[in-house]
Amino acid sequence: MTQGPLSQLEFNLNISAEQLELYYRGSVREVLAHTNDGRRLRFPLSLLRPYVTYGGVQGRFRILFDQSRRCERLEKIDAGR
């Protein structure tokens, strides 16, 4: 049996440094985003670590899932701010 293509969703994020502090303090562990097609997407904050700057996390992202609907990877599509 061959594997089909990964499913993917695209979304924009604009999370300030102050909002990220709440995440890192442990009061919030997941990010809730709205995809470009209007769906709600919830994923672990830890996926954003490579994209955190002093200003927070901004930009357009793509999340890819395997056939079991588990996150395969998160990619930044543009540079954002």
Side-chain angles (χ1 to χ4, degrees):
M1 177 192 265
T2 60
Q3 281 192 337
L6 298 175
S7 60
Q8 62 184 22
L9 296 170
E10 292 185 6
F11 56 96
N12 297 307
L13 285 180
N14 186 10
I15 303 174
S16 70
E18 293 79 22
Q19 290 171 310
L20 281 177
E21 274 188 55
L22 295 174
Y23 292 127
Y24 285 117
R25 288 184 186 160
S27 54
V28 179
R29 296 176 195 257
E30 294 181 318
V31 175
L32 177 62
H34 289 89
T35 64
N36 293 347
D37 63 1
R39 290 186 263 183
R40 291 175 61 171
L41 172 65
R42 189 180 307 263
F43 60 91
L45 171 69
S46 59
L47 294 177
L48 292 177
R49 282 193 183 126
Y51 308 106
V52 173
T53 68
Y54 288 110
V57 177
Q58 291 87 24
R60 184 177 177 96
F61 293 85
R62 175 184 303 125
I63 191 166
L64 293 103
F65 300 94
D66 64 17
Q67 289 184 337
S68 299
R69 298 170 75 181
R70 291 189 206 134
C71 178
E72 186 78 18
R73 67 182 180 271
L74 179 69
E75 303 171 340
K76 191 164 188 180
I77 299 171
D78 71 10
R81 280 195 248 165

Coordinates of all heavy atoms in Angstrom, one line a residue:
M1 N 0.8 -1.2 0.0 CA 0.0 0.0 0.0 C 0.9 1.2 0.0 O 1.8 1.3 0.8 CB -0.9 0.0 1.2 CG -1.8 1.2 1.4 SD -2.5 1.4 3.0 CE -4.1 0.6 2.6
T2 N 0.6 2.2 -0.9 CA 1.4 3.4 -0.9 C 0.7 4.5 -0.1 O -0.5 4.5 0.0 CB 1.6 3.9 -2.4 OG1 0.3 4.2 -2.9 CG2 2.3 2.9 -3.2
Q3 N 1.6 5.4 0.4 CA 1.0 6.5 1.2 C 0.6 7.6 0.3 O 1.3 7.9 -0.7 CB 2.1 7.0 2.2 CG 2.3 6.2 3.4 CD 3.1 7.0 4.4 OE1 3.8 7.8 4.1 NE2 2.9 6.6 5.7
G4 N -0.5 8.2 0.6 CA -1.0 9.4 -0.2 C -0.3 10.6 0.3 O 0.5 10.6 1.2
P5 N -0.6 11.8 -0.3 CA 0.0 13.0 0.1 C -0.4 13.4 1.5 O -1.5 13.0 1.9 CB -0.5 14.0 -1.0 CG -1.7 13.4 -1.5 CD -1.5 11.9 -1.4
L6 N 0.4 14.2 2.1 CA 0.1 14.7 3.5 C -1.0 15.7 3.3 O -1.0 16.5 2.3 CB 1.3 15.4 4.1 CG 2.5 14.5 4.4 CD1 3.7 15.3 4.9 CD2 2.2 13.4 5.4
S7 N -1.9 15.8 4.3 CA -2.9 16.8 4.3 C -2.3 18.1 4.9 O -1.3 17.9 5.8 CB -4.2 16.4 5.0 OG -3.9 16.1 6.3
Q8 N -2.7 19.2 4.6 CA -2.1 20.4 5.1 C -3.2 21.5 5.3 O -4.2 21.5 4.7 CB -1.0 21.0 4.2 CG -1.5 21.3 2.8 CD -0.4 21.7 1.9 OE1 0.8 21.4 2.1 NE2 -0.7 22.5 0.9
L9 N -2.9 22.4 6.2 CA -3.7 23.6 6.5 C -2.8 24.8 6.6 O -1.7 24.7 7.1 CB -4.5 23.4 7.8 CG -5.5 22.3 7.9 CD1 -6.0 22.1 9.3 CD2 -6.6 22.6 6.9
E10 N -3.3 26.0 6.1 CA -2.5 27.2 6.2 C -3.2 28.2 7.1 O -4.5 28.2 7.1 CB -2.3 27.8 4.8 CG -1.4 27.0 3.9 CD -1.1 27.6 2.6 OE1 -1.5 28.8 2.3 OE2 -0.4 26.9 1.8
F11 N -2.5 29.0 7.8 CA -3.0 30.0 8.7 C -2.0 31.1 9.0 O -0.9 30.9 8.7 CB -3.4 29.3 10.0 CG -2.3 28.6 10.7 CD1 -1.6 29.2 11.7 CD2 -2.0 27.3 10.3 CE1 -0.5 28.5 12.3 CE2 -0.9 26.6 11.0 CZ -0.2 27.2 12.0
N12 N -2.5 32.2 9.5 CA -1.7 33.3 9.9 C -1.7 33.4 11.4 O -2.7 33.1 12.1 CB -2.3 34.6 9.3 CG -2.3 34.6 7.8 OD1 -1.3 34.4 7.2 ND2 -3.4 34.9 7.2
L13 N -0.5 33.8 11.9 CA -0.4 34.1 13.4 C 0.1 35.4 13.6 O 1.0 35.9 12.9 CB 0.5 33.0 14.0 CG 0.0 31.6 14.2 CD1 1.1 30.8 14.8 CD2 -1.2 31.6 15.0
N14 N -0.3 36.0 14.7 CA 0.2 37.3 15.2 C 0.1 37.2 16.7 O -0.8 37.7 17.3 CB -0.5 38.5 14.6 CG 0.1 39.8 15.0 OD1 1.2 39.8 15.6 ND2 -0.6 40.9 14.8
I15 N 1.1 36.6 17.3 CA 1.1 36.4 18.8 C 2.2 37.3 19.3 O 3.4 37.2 19.0 CB 1.4 35.0 19.2 CG1 0.4 34.0 18.5 CG2 1.5 34.8 20.7 CD1 0.7 32.6 18.7
S16 N 1.8 38.2 20.2 CA 2.8 39.2 20.8 C 3.7 38.5 21.8 O 3.4 37.4 22.3 CB 2.0 40.3 21.5 OG 1.4 39.8 22.7
A17 N 4.8 39.2 22.1 CA 5.7 38.7 23.1 C 5.0 38.5 24.5 O 5.2 37.5 25.2 CB 6.9 39.6 23.3
E18 N 4.1 39.4 24.8 CA 3.4 39.4 26.1 C 2.5 38.1 26.1 O 2.3 37.5 27.1 CB 2.5 40.6 26.3 CG 3.4 41.9 26.5 CD 3.9 42.5 25.2 OE1 3.4 42.2 24.1 OE2 4.9 43.2 25.3
Q19 N 1.8 37.8 25.0 CA 1.0 36.7 24.9 C 1.8 35.4 25.1 O 1.4 34.4 25.7 CB 0.2 36.6 23.6 CG -0.9 37.7 23.6 CD -1.5 37.8 22.2 OE1 -0.8 37.9 21.2 NE2 -2.8 37.8 22.1
L20 N 3.0 35.4 24.5 CA 3.8 34.2 24.6 C 4.3 34.0 26.0 O 4.5 32.8 26.4 CB 5.1 34.4 23.7 CG 4.8 34.1 22.2 CD1 6.1 34.4 21.4 CD2 4.4 32.7 22.0
E21 N 4.4 35.0 26.8 CA 4.8 34.9 28.2 C 3.8 34.0 28.9 O 4.2 33.2 29.8 CB 4.9 36.2 28.9 CG 6.2 36.9 28.8 CD 6.3 38.1 29.6 OE1 6.1 38.0 30.9 OE2 6.6 39.2 29.1
L22 N 2.5 34.1 28.6 CA 1.5 33.3 29.3 C 1.7 31.8 28.9 O 1.5 30.9 29.7 CB 0.1 33.7 28.8 CG -0.4 35.1 29.2 CD1 -1.7 35.5 28.6 CD2 -0.5 35.2 30.7
Y23 N 2.0 31.6 27.6 CA 2.3 30.2 27.2 C 3.5 29.6 28.0 O 3.4 28.5 28.5 CB 2.7 30.2 25.7 CG 1.5 30.5 24.8 CD1 1.6 31.5 23.8 CD2 0.3 29.8 24.9 CE1 0.6 31.7 22.9 CE2 -0.7 30.1 24.0 CZ -0.6 31.0 23.0 OH -1.6 31.3 22.2
Y24 N 4.6 30.4 28.1 CA 5.8 29.9 28.7 C 5.6 29.8 30.2 O 6.3 29.0 30.9 CB 7.0 30.8 28.4 CG 7.4 30.5 27.0 CD1 7.4 31.5 26.0 CD2 7.9 29.3 26.6 CE1 7.8 31.3 24.7 CE2 8.3 29.0 25.3 CZ 8.3 30.0 24.4 OH 8.7 29.8 23.1
R25 N 4.7 30.5 30.8 CA 4.4 30.4 32.3 C 3.6 29.1 32.6 O 3.4 28.8 33.7 CB 3.7 31.6 32.8 CG 4.6 32.8 32.9 CD 3.8 33.9 33.5 NE 4.6 35.1 33.5 CZ 4.1 36.3 33.6 NH1 2.8 36.5 33.7 NH2 4.9 37.4 33.5
G26 N 3.1 28.5 31.5 CA 2.4 27.3 31.7 C 0.9 27.4 31.8 O 0.2 26.4 31.9
S27 N 0.4 28.6 31.8 CA -1.1 28.8 31.9 C -1.8 28.4 30.6 O -3.0 28.1 30.6 CB -1.4 30.2 32.3 OG -0.8 31.2 31.4
V28 N -1.1 28.4 29.5 CA -1.6 28.0 28.2 C -0.6 27.0 27.5 O 0.6 27.3 27.5 CB -1.9 29.2 27.3 CG1 -2.5 28.7 26.0 CG2 -2.9 30.2 28.0
R29 N -1.1 25.9 27.0 CA -0.2 24.9 26.4 C -0.4 24.7 24.9 O 0.4 24.2 24.2 CB -0.3 23.6 27.1 CG 0.2 23.6 28.5 CD 0.0 22.3 29.2 NE 0.1 22.4 30.6 CZ 1.1 22.1 31.3 NH1 2.1 21.5 30.7 NH2 1.2 22.2 32.6
E30 N -1.6 25.2 24.4 CA -1.9 25.0 23.0 C -2.2 26.4 22.4 O -2.7 27.3 23.0 CB -3.2 24.1 22.9 CG -2.9 22.7 23.3 CD -4.2 21.8 23.2 OE1 -5.3 22.3 23.5 OE2 -4.0 20.7 22.7
V31 N -2.0 26.4 21.1 CA -2.4 27.6 20.3 C -3.7 27.3 19.5 O -3.8 26.2 19.0 CB -1.2 27.8 19.3 CG1 -1.6 29.0 18.3 CG2 0.1 28.1 20.0
L32 N -4.5 28.2 19.5 CA -5.8 28.1 18.7 C -5.6 29.1 17.5 O -5.4 30.3 17.8 CB -7.0 28.4 19.5 CG -8.3 28.4 18.8 CD1 -8.6 27.0 18.2 CD2 -9.4 28.8 19.7
A33 N -5.8 28.6 16.3 CA -5.7 29.4 15.1 C -6.9 29.1 14.2 O -7.5 28.1 14.3 CB -4.4 29.2 14.4
H34 N -7.2 30.1 13.4 CA -8.2 29.8 12.4 C -7.5 29.7 11.0 O -6.7 30.6 10.6 CB -9.2 31.0 12.3 CG -10.1 31.0 13.5 ND1 -9.7 31.6 14.7 CD2 -11.2 30.4 13.8 CE1 -10.7 31.4 15.6 NE2 -11.6 30.6 15.1
T35 N -7.8 28.6 10.3 CA -7.2 28.4 9.0 C -7.8 29.3 8.0 O -8.8 29.9 8.2 CB -7.3 26.9 8.6 OG1 -8.7 26.7 8.4 CG2 -6.8 26.0 9.6
N36 N -7.1 29.4 6.8 CA -7.5 30.2 5.7 C -8.9 29.8 5.2 O -9.6 30.7 4.7 CB -6.5 30.2 4.6 CG -5.2 30.9 5.0 OD1 -5.2 31.5 6.0 ND2 -4.2 30.7 4.2
D37 N -9.3 28.6 5.4 CA -10.6 28.1 5.0 C -11.7 28.1 6.1 O -12.7 27.6 5.9 CB -10.6 26.8 4.3 CG -10.1 25.7 5.2 OD1 -9.9 25.9 6.4 OD2 -10.0 24.5 4.8
G38 N -11.3 28.8 7.2 CA -12.3 29.0 8.3 C -12.4 27.9 9.4 O -13.1 28.1 10.3
R39 N -11.5 26.9 9.3 CA -11.6 25.9 10.4 C -10.8 26.3 11.6 O -9.8 27.1 11.5 CB -11.0 24.6 9.8 CG -11.9 23.9 8.8 CD -11.3 22.6 8.4 NE -10.6 22.7 7.2 CZ -10.0 21.7 6.5 NH1 -10.1 20.5 7.0 NH2 -9.4 22.0 5.4
R40 N -11.1 25.8 12.7 CA -10.3 26.0 13.9 C -9.3 24.9 14.0 O -9.5 23.8 13.8 CB -11.3 26.0 15.1 CG -12.2 27.1 15.2 CD -13.2 27.0 16.3 NE -12.5 27.0 17.6 CZ -13.0 27.0 18.7 NH1 -14.3 27.1 18.8 NH2 -12.3 27.0 19.8
L41 N -8.1 25.4 14.4 CA -6.9 24.5 14.5 C -6.3 24.7 15.8 O -6.0 25.8 16.3 CB -5.9 24.8 13.4 CG -4.6 24.1 13.4 CD1 -4.7 22.6 13.2 CD2 -3.7 24.7 12.4
R42 N -6.1 23.6 16.5 CA -5.4 23.6 17.9 C -4.2 22.7 17.8 O -4.3 21.6 17.3 CB -6.4 23.1 18.9 CG -5.9 23.2 20.3 CD -7.0 22.7 21.3 NE -8.3 23.2 21.1 CZ -8.8 24.2 21.8 NH1 -8.2 24.8 22.7 NH2 -10.1 24.6 21.5
F43 N -3.0 23.3 18.2 CA -1.8 22.5 18.2 C -0.9 23.0 19.4 O -1.1 24.0 19.9 CB -1.1 22.7 16.8 CG -0.7 24.1 16.5 CD1 0.5 24.7 16.9 CD2 -1.6 24.9 15.8 CE1 0.9 26.0 16.5 CE2 -1.3 26.2 15.5 CZ 0.0 26.7 15.8
P44 N 0.1 22.1 19.7 CA 0.9 22.4 20.9 C 1.8 23.6 20.6 O 2.4 23.8 19.5 CB 1.8 21.2 21.0 CG 1.2 20.1 20.1 CD 0.3 20.8 19.1
L45 N 2.0 24.5 21.6 CA 2.8 25.6 21.5 C 4.3 25.3 21.1 O 4.9 26.0 20.4 CB 2.9 26.4 22.9 CG 3.9 27.5 23.0 CD1 3.5 28.7 22.1 CD2 4.0 27.9 24.4
S46 N 4.7 24.1 21.5 CA 6.1 23.7 21.3 C 6.5 23.7 19.8 O 7.6 23.9 19.4 CB 6.4 22.3 21.9 OG 5.5 21.4 21.3
L47 N 5.5 23.6 18.9 CA 5.8 23.6 17.5 C 6.2 24.9 17.0 O 6.9 25.1 16.0 CB 4.5 23.2 16.7 CG 4.0 21.7 16.8 CD1 2.8 21.5 16.0 CD2 5.1 20.8 16.4
L48 N 5.9 26.0 17.8 CA 6.3 27.3 17.3 C 7.7 27.8 17.8 O 8.2 28.8 17.4 CB 5.3 28.4 17.9 CG 3.9 28.3 17.2 CD1 3.0 29.3 17.9 CD2 4.0 28.6 15.8
R49 N 8.3 27.0 18.7 CA 9.6 27.4 19.2 C 10.6 27.9 18.2 O 11.3 28.9 18.4 CB 10.2 26.3 20.1 CG 9.5 26.3 21.4 CD 10.3 25.4 22.4 NE 9.5 25.4 23.6 CZ 9.2 24.2 24.2 NH1 9.5 23.1 23.8 NH2 8.5 24.3 25.4
P50 N 10.8 27.2 17.1 CA 11.8 27.7 16.1 C 11.5 29.1 15.5 O 12.3 29.7 14.9 CB 11.8 26.6 15.0 CG 11.1 25.5 15.6 CD 10.2 26.0 16.6
Y51 N 10.3 29.5 15.7 CA 9.8 30.8 15.0 C 9.6 31.9 16.0 O 9.2 33.0 15.5 CB 8.5 30.5 14.2 CG 8.6 29.3 13.3 CD1 8.0 28.1 13.6 CD2 9.4 29.4 12.2 CE1 8.2 27.0 12.8 CE2 9.6 28.3 11.3 CZ 8.9 27.1 11.7 OH 9.1 26.0 10.8
V52 N 9.9 31.8 17.2 CA 9.8 32.8 18.2 C 10.9 33.8 18.1 O 12.1 33.5 18.0 CB 9.7 32.2 19.7 CG1 9.7 33.3 20.7 CG2 8.5 31.3 19.8
T53 N 10.5 35.1 18.1 CA 11.4 36.2 18.1 C 11.2 37.1 19.3 O 10.2 36.8 20.1 CB 11.3 37.1 16.8 OG1 10.0 37.7 16.9 CG2 11.4 36.2 15.6
Y54 N 11.9 38.1 19.5 CA 11.7 39.0 20.6 C 10.3 39.7 20.6 O 9.7 40.1 21.6 CB 12.8 40.1 20.7 CG 14.1 39.6 21.2 CD1 15.2 39.5 20.3 CD2 14.3 39.2 22.5 CE1 16.4 39.0 20.8 CE2 15.5 38.7 23.0 CZ 16.5 38.6 22.1 OH 17.7 38.1 22.5
G55 N 9.8 39.8 19.3 CA 8.5 40.4 19.2 C 7.3 39.5 19.2 O 6.2 39.9 19.1
G56 N 7.6 38.2 19.4 CA 6.6 37.2 19.4 C 6.7 36.3 18.2 O 7.8 35.9 17.8
V57 N 5.5 35.9 17.7 CA 5.5 35.0 16.5 C 4.5 35.6 15.5 O 3.3 35.8 15.8 CB 5.0 33.6 16.8 CG1 4.9 32.7 15.6 CG2 5.9 32.9 17.8
Q58 N 5.0 36.0 14.3 CA 4.1 36.6 13.3 C 4.4 35.9 12.0 O 5.6 35.5 11.7 CB 4.3 38.1 13.1 CG 3.9 38.9 14.3 CD 4.9 39.0 15.4 OE1 6.1 38.9 15.1 NE2 4.5 39.3 16.6
G59 N 3.4 35.8 11.2 CA 3.6 35.3 9.8 C 2.6 34.3 9.4 O 1.6 34.0 10.1
R60 N 2.8 33.7 8.2 CA 1.9 32.8 7.6 C 2.6 31.4 7.7 O 3.8 31.2 7.4 CB 1.7 33.1 6.1 CG 0.8 32.3 5.4 CD 0.6 32.8 4.0 NE -0.2 32.0 3.2 CZ -1.5 32.3 3.0 NH1 -2.1 33.3 3.5 NH2 -2.2 31.5 2.3
F61 N 1.8 30.4 8.1 CA 2.3 29.1 8.4 C 1.5 28.0 7.7 O 0.4 28.2 7.3 CB 2.3 28.8 9.9 CG 3.2 29.7 10.7 CD1 2.8 30.9 11.1 CD2 4.5 29.2 11.0 CE1 3.7 31.7 11.9 CE2 5.3 30.0 11.8 CZ 4.9 31.3 12.2
R62 N 2.1 26.8 7.6 CA 1.5 25.6 7.0 C 1.8 24.5 8.0 O 2.9 24.3 8.4 CB 2.1 25.3 5.6 CG 1.6 24.0 5.0 CD 2.2 23.7 3.7 NE 2.1 24.8 2.7 CZ 3.1 25.4 2.1 NH1 4.3 25.1 2.4 NH2 2.9 26.4 1.3
I63 N 0.8 23.8 8.3 CA 0.9 22.6 9.2 C 0.6 21.4 8.3 O -0.4 21.4 7.6 CB 0.1 22.7 10.5 CG1 0.5 21.6 11.5 CG2 -1.4 22.7 10.2 CD1 0.0 21.8 12.9
L64 N 1.4 20.4 8.4 CA 1.2 19.1 7.6 C 1.0 18.0 8.5 O 1.6 17.8 9.5 CB 2.4 18.9 6.7 CG 2.6 19.9 5.6 CD1 3.7 20.9 6.0 CD2 2.9 19.3 4.3
F65 N 0.0 17.1 8.1 CA -0.4 16.0 8.9 C -0.2 14.7 8.1 O -0.3 14.6 6.9 CB -1.9 16.0 9.2 CG -2.3 17.3 10.0 CD1 -2.8 18.4 9.3 CD2 -2.2 17.3 11.3 CE1 -3.1 19.5 10.0 CE2 -2.6 18.4 12.0 CZ -3.0 19.6 11.3
D66 N 0.2 13.6 8.9 CA 0.3 12.3 8.2 C -1.1 11.7 8.1 O -2.1 12.3 8.4 CB 1.2 11.4 9.0 CG 0.8 11.1 10.4 OD1 -0.4 11.2 10.8 OD2 1.6 10.6 11.2
Q67 N -1.2 10.5 7.6 CA -2.5 9.8 7.4 C -3.2 9.5 8.7 O -4.4 9.4 8.6 CB -2.3 8.5 6.6 CG -1.9 8.8 5.1 CD -1.8 7.6 4.3 OE1 -1.6 6.5 4.9 NE2 -1.9 7.7 3.0
S68 N -2.5 9.5 9.8 CA -3.2 9.3 11.1 C -3.6 10.6 11.7 O -4.0 10.7 12.9 CB -2.2 8.6 12.1 OG -1.8 7.4 11.5
R69 N -3.5 11.7 10.9 CA -3.9 13.1 11.4 C -3.0 13.6 12.5 O -3.4 14.4 13.3 CB -5.4 13.1 11.7 CG -6.2 12.8 10.5 CD -7.7 12.6 10.9 NE -8.3 13.9 11.1 CZ -9.5 14.0 11.5 NH1 -10.3 12.9 11.6 NH2 -10.1 15.2 11.7
R70 N -1.8 13.1 12.6 CA -0.8 13.6 13.5 C 0.1 14.6 12.8 O 0.4 14.5 11.6 CB 0.1 12.5 14.0 CG -0.7 11.6 14.9 CD 0.3 10.6 15.6 NE -0.5 9.4 15.9 CZ -0.1 8.2 15.7 NH1 1.1 8.0 15.2 NH2 -0.8 7.2 16.0
C71 N 0.5 15.7 13.5 CA 1.3 16.7 12.9 C 2.6 16.1 12.5 O 3.4 15.5 13.3 CB 1.5 17.8 13.9 SG 2.6 19.1 13.3
E72 N 2.9 16.3 11.2 CA 4.2 15.8 10.6 C 5.2 16.9 10.8 O 6.3 16.7 11.2 CB 3.9 15.5 9.2 CG 5.1 14.9 8.5 CD 5.3 13.4 8.8 OE1 4.4 12.7 9.3 OE2 6.4 12.9 8.6
R73 N 4.8 18.2 10.5 CA 5.7 19.3 10.6 C 5.0 20.6 10.5 O 3.9 20.7 9.9 CB 6.9 19.2 9.6 CG 6.5 19.4 8.2 CD 7.8 19.2 7.3 NE 7.4 19.4 5.9 CZ 7.1 18.4 5.1 NH1 7.0 17.2 5.6 NH2 6.8 18.6 3.8
L74 N 5.6 21.7 10.9 CA 5.1 23.0 10.8 C 6.1 23.8 10.0 O 7.3 23.8 10.3 CB 4.9 23.7 12.2 CG 4.4 25.1 12.2 CD1 2.9 25.1 11.7 CD2 4.5 25.7 13.6
E75 N 5.7 24.6 9.0 CA 6.5 25.4 8.2 C 6.1 26.8 8.2 O 4.9 27.1 8.1 CB 6.5 24.9 6.7 CG 6.8 23.4 6.5 CD 6.6 23.0 5.1 OE1 5.8 23.6 4.4 OE2 7.2 21.9 4.7
K76 N 7.0 27.7 8.2 CA 6.7 29.1 8.0 C 6.8 29.4 6.5 O 7.7 29.1 5.8 CB 7.7 30.0 8.7 CG 7.3 31.4 8.8 CD 8.0 32.2 9.8 CE 7.4 33.6 10.0 NZ 8.1 34.3 11.0
I77 N 5.7 30.0 6.0 CA 5.6 30.2 4.6 C 6.2 31.6 4.2 O 6.8 31.7 3.1 CB 4.1 30.2 4.1 CG1 3.5 28.8 4.4 CG2 4.0 30.5 2.6 CD1 2.1 28.7 4.2
D78 N 6.1 32.6 5.0 CA 6.6 33.9 4.7 C 7.4 34.4 6.0 O 7.3 33.9 7.0 CB 5.6 34.9 4.2 CG 4.6 35.3 5.3 OD1 4.8 35.0 6.5 OD2 3.6 36.0 5.0
A79 N 8.0 35.5 5.8 CA 8.9 36.1 6.8 C 8.0 36.8 7.9 O 8.5 37.0 9.0 CB 9.9 37.0 6.3
G80 N 6.8 37.2 7.6 CA 6.0 37.9 8.5 C 6.7 39.3 8.9 O 7.4 39.8 8.1
R81 N 6.5 39.7 10.1 CA 7.1 40.9 10.6 C 8.4 40.7 11.1 O 8.8 39.7 11.7 CB 6.2 41.6 11.6 CG 5.1 42.3 11.0 CD 4.5 43.2 12.1 NE 3.2 42.7 12.4 CZ 2.5 43.1 13.4 NH1 3.0 43.9 14.3 NH2 1.3 42.6 13.7

